[in-house]
């Protein structure tokens, strides 16, 4: 039996709309499940949030960088918040409603890169 599916998360290079006719480098990108938000690693200062399909970001979640590597971010809680990775061992959680940082999660030492993150659901059944 065939199943239909949609790609909700991709890693791409995106050309952002701007007036200078220069290419804007971008890293990982994530589309919210309801397809209303796009979150893009801007490779410089953090992650840009777009109200999809607008071409200008409405918010930037600033994450300090020491290295020019692609970092990943994902949507959480039905796109009520996001988790953003870093090159210094921490994950940053932000609220989409207030755009304020909710929490910092330490994953490893300052030299630890967190390039890929994912969220899943585990269902347990007690018999």
């Amino acid at each position: 039996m065939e199943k239909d599916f949609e790609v909700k998360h991709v890693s791409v290079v995106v050309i952002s709309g701007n007036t200078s006719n220069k290419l804007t480098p971008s890293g990982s990108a994530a589309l919210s499940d309801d397809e209303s938000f796009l979150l893009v690693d801007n490779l410089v200062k953090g992650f840009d949030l777009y109200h999809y399909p607008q071409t200008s970001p409405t918010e930037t979640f600033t994450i300090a960088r020491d290295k020019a590597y692609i970092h990943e971010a994902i949507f959480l809680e039905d796109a009520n918040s996001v988790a953003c990775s870093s090159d210094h061992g921490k994950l940053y959680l932000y609220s989409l409603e207030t755009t304020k940082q909710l929490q910092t999660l330490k994953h490893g030492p300052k030299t630890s890169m967190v390039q890929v993150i994912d969220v899943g659901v585990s269902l347990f059944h007690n018999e």
Side-chain angles (χ1 to χ4, degrees):
M1 169 185 262
E2 285 188 36
K3 294 184 179 183
D4 293 332
F5 65 93
E6 294 180 51
V7 175
K8 295 292 184 183
H9 186 92
V10 293
S11 293
V12 296
V13 174
V14 177
I15 300 172
S16 299
N18 60 38
T19 58
S20 67
N21 292 327
K22 294 181 181 176
L23 298 181
T24 303
S26 300
S28 176
L31 186 62
S32 63
D33 284 341
D34 66 359
E35 299 180 359
S36 62
F37 293 105
L38 180 65
L39 192 60
V40 179
D41 174 11
N42 64 36
L43 296 177
V44 177
K45 58 185 175 182
F47 295 86
D48 293 327
L49 179 68
Y50 296 81
H51 282 277
Y52 187 73
Q54 293 179 0
T55 58
S56 297
T58 56
E59 186 65 44
T60 296
F61 301 113
T62 302
I63 308 287
R65 286 182 187 244
D66 293 328
K67 302 174 185 99
Y69 291 102
I70 293 174
H71 297 83
E72 189 171 29
I74 58 173
F75 289 94
L76 304 169
E77 302 172 336
D78 294 325
N80 289 314
S81 59
V82 295
C84 303
S85 64
S86 74
D87 61 7
H88 49 267
K90 295 180 181 174
L91 293 172
Y92 296 88
L93 304 180
Y94 290 91
S95 165
L96 286 187
E97 183 179 338
T98 65
T99 67
K100 293 186 180 187
Q101 186 175 334
L102 299 171
Q103 193 173 8
T104 302
L105 304 174
K106 186 176 178 184
H107 173 72
K110 191 174 182 177
T111 57
S112 175
M113 289 207 30
V114 184
Q115 284 186 278
V116 178
I117 52 178
D118 199 2
V119 65
V121 176
S122 296
L123 301 175
F124 294 96
H125 179 67
N126 292 333
E127 292 187 31

